[in-house]
Amino acid sequence: MIKENEQGILIVVSGPSGCGKSTLDQKLVERRNDTVISISDTTRSPRGDEVDGVDYNFISTEEFEQKIKDNKYLEYAIVHSNKYYGTPNEHIDEMLSKGKNIILEIDIEGARKINEKRPDAVFIFIMPPSMEILKKRLIGRKTETKEQIVERFKTAYKEINEVSKYNYVIVNDDIEESVLKMNSIIECEKCRVDRIEEVYLGNQEEMIHELLVDFDKENYKEKKES
Ligand code: 5GP
């Protein structure tokens, strides 16, 4: 009856470092085989047990700048400590046209650029339950120096001020609940009427003719039985 647009959804997820967005996205894609996380390029060094090609593509500044010149990024930004972060545009449209939802875990600046280029994208902001909890999480993960933590904490204040520019906000208090919420957002977005390409109801005259025939058959059956 309805032909829907089969395109995947481009999902932009932002939130301060330590809000738990990577864990959340990871858990979501484990549950949904129609959803993938885009792997960004960055010029920062790997942290903790991060793996090249899995968490990020860790590349040199020269390589990154060459890729900017070659127009290889859907968006890029300089985030912490003058390090580049960028979303390679390779594969994005191909994956979306195959019906895969793609998650971009990017900062607010990148999200703004995506909003200009791809107004069809869905913007989700992941919020820590409180600044106190964010502070504890940043210190607890033991992957940054004191200076880096202060920088990320300062950036968090700036980022949280931008929350109203997003379509949805998830306060990440309980990870399982947050995954359910994110899953629900995707399901809701799939039900948007602007995804309908065609509504086909059949020919009205023919349908009414069939309705009358069926009605008479039913009544005839009932009369025979009584
Ligand atoms: P982290 O160094 O903690 O992994 O990430 C720092 C920030 O960079 C986070 O806010 C993260 O979402 C953002 N980020 C990661 N990849 C990209 C990207 O491809 N583009 C942009 N604009 N930001 C990114």
Side-chain angles (χ1 to χ4, degrees), residues 13 15 17 21 40-41 44 47 50 56 75-77 79-80 85-87 105-107 109-110 141 144 152 159:
V13 177
S17 284
K21 58 185 183 297
S40 296
D41 286 356
R44 81 150 164 79
R47 196 169 63 204
E50 283 179 335
Y56 282 104
E75 64 73 38
Y76 69 91
V79 189
H80 301 303
Y85 291 80
T87 307
E105 278 176 22
I106 60 178
D107 81 320
E109 183 62 22
R141 68 185 192 185
E144 281 102 353
R152 279 167 163 71
E159 288 170 328

Side-chain angles (χ1 to χ4, degrees), residues 31-181:
R31 258 174 237 192
R32 297 189 69 111
N33 57 13
D34 63 351
T35 306
V36 293
I37 304 173
S38 160
I39 301 171
S40 296
D41 286 356
T42 184
T43 56
R44 81 150 164 79
S45 314
R47 196 169 63 204
D49 54 5
E50 283 179 335
V51 176
D52 186 28
V54 176
D55 298 284
Y56 282 104
N57 301 309
F58 295 99
I59 65 174
S60 67
T61 305
E62 295 69 40
E63 201 181 335
F64 201 106
E65 288 176 345
Q66 187 57 48
K67 287 178 86 172
I68 296 173
K69 283 191 200 139
D70 297 341
N71 225 353
K72 301 271 188 207
Y73 292 114
L74 184 59
E75 64 73 38
Y76 69 91
I78 293 174
V79 189
H80 301 303
S81 321
N82 295 329
K83 297 294 178 199
Y84 282 119
Y85 291 80
T87 307
N89 50 27
E90 214 189 353
H91 305 314
I92 296 228
D93 284 322
E94 188 193 330
M95 297 282 256
L96 290 173
S97 63
K98 283 185 182 158
K100 291 269 185 203
N101 306 315
I102 304 183
I103 299 179
L104 308 182
E105 278 176 22
I106 60 178
D107 81 320
I108 50 172
E109 183 62 22
R112 197 182 50 73
K113 290 179 192 160
I114 297 288
N115 197 15
E116 285 164 10
K117 285 191 180 169
R118 309 289 296 244
D120 55 316
V122 177
F123 296 83
I124 307 177
F125 194 90
I126 312 299
M127 186 83 99
S130 68
M131 294 313 277
E132 187 62 33
I133 291 178
L134 185 73
K135 183 188 74 185
K136 281 192 185 141
R137 284 183 189 164
L138 278 174
I139 296 172
R141 68 185 192 185
K142 296 194 168 77
T143 46
E144 281 102 353
T145 62
K146 203 198 266 181
E147 291 70 30
Q148 285 169 332
I149 290 181
V150 171
E151 196 185 349
R152 279 167 163 71
F153 203 60
K154 276 192 196 159
T155 308
Y157 275 85
K158 222 167 38 187
E159 288 170 328
I160 291 170
N161 271 326
E162 298 288 312
V163 62
S164 60
K165 299 199 174 131
Y166 286 69
N167 303 119
Y168 299 94
V169 60
I170 296 176
V171 178
N172 189 19
D173 200 355
D174 177 278
I175 187 77
E176 289 307 318
E177 234 177 71
S178 299
V179 175
L180 288 179
K181 285 182 185 168

Side-chain angles (χ1 to χ4, degrees), residues 190-206:
K190 290 202 150 191
C191 295
R192 292 182 72 100
V193 288
D194 48 16
R195 285 177 66 84
I196 297 176
E197 282 183 347
E198 197 187 338
V199 179
Y200 43 96
L201 303 175
N203 179 288
Q204 186 174 328
E205 295 300 318
E206 283 171 20

